Every structure is written in structure tokens, then in C-alpha cells.
Amino acid sequence: MAVCPNCKKEITTLINHVYGSLIAFEFDGENYEFADCSGGDYEEFCCPVCGFVIATTEEQAKEFLKRSN
């Protein structure tokens, strides 16, 4: 299992923050439904426990999560 280099907790997922993206939802007056997501200037993959930025590309995030410590 991967271990966060900051908080030292074992983690199996990362939180992906995409900045500068356009996310669209359809709203019917009561509910929202996801419609589209486009673009993004940059992204970060962070520890779900402490929020530490672990990777800045999907490939880096995949490699990190494959690690067994």
C-alpha cells in the first residue's frame, strides 16, 4: 500500500483537484445532473488524509499508488 510522504498514513486513493476546468451540470429546478467537464489549466493529486500534493500528473499518481511500502 502507498504511504503519504507527509503524514505517513497508508492510502489507496488520491484526491484529484483540477484547476481552471469548466464543469457543467443540468438543473431541472430541483436536481443537478452532471453534463460535461472540459479543460483544466493544471491538476494536483493529493493525500486524502492531510491534503499534501503528491503528484501533478495522472501518470505520477498511478505510479505512486502502485507502490508497496
Side-chain angles (χ1 to χ4, degrees):
M1 185 175 298
V3 174
C4 174
N6 185 59
C7 69
K8 309 300 185 217
K9 301 287 185 183
E10 290 185 345
I11 55 177
T12 58
T13 62
L14 296 173
I15 303 297
N16 179 220
H17 297 278
V18 180
Y19 299 96
S21 64
L22 176 62
I23 300 173
F25 293 90
E26 293 180 3
F27 180 63
D28 67 5
E30 292 186 28
N31 299 302
Y32 290 90
E33 184 174 322
F34 177 78
D36 187 30
C37 179
S38 61
D41 294 332
Y42 68 97
E43 60 186 329
E44 298 174 334
F45 293 83
C46 304
C47 173
V49 178
C50 70
F52 182 76
V53 177
I54 292 172
T56 56
T57 68
E58 185 176 306
E59 188 60 38
Q60 290 172 348
K62 286 179 183 178
E63 289 300 315
F64 174 80
L65 291 171
K66 288 180 185 176
R67 295 180 191 167
S68 291
N69 296 331

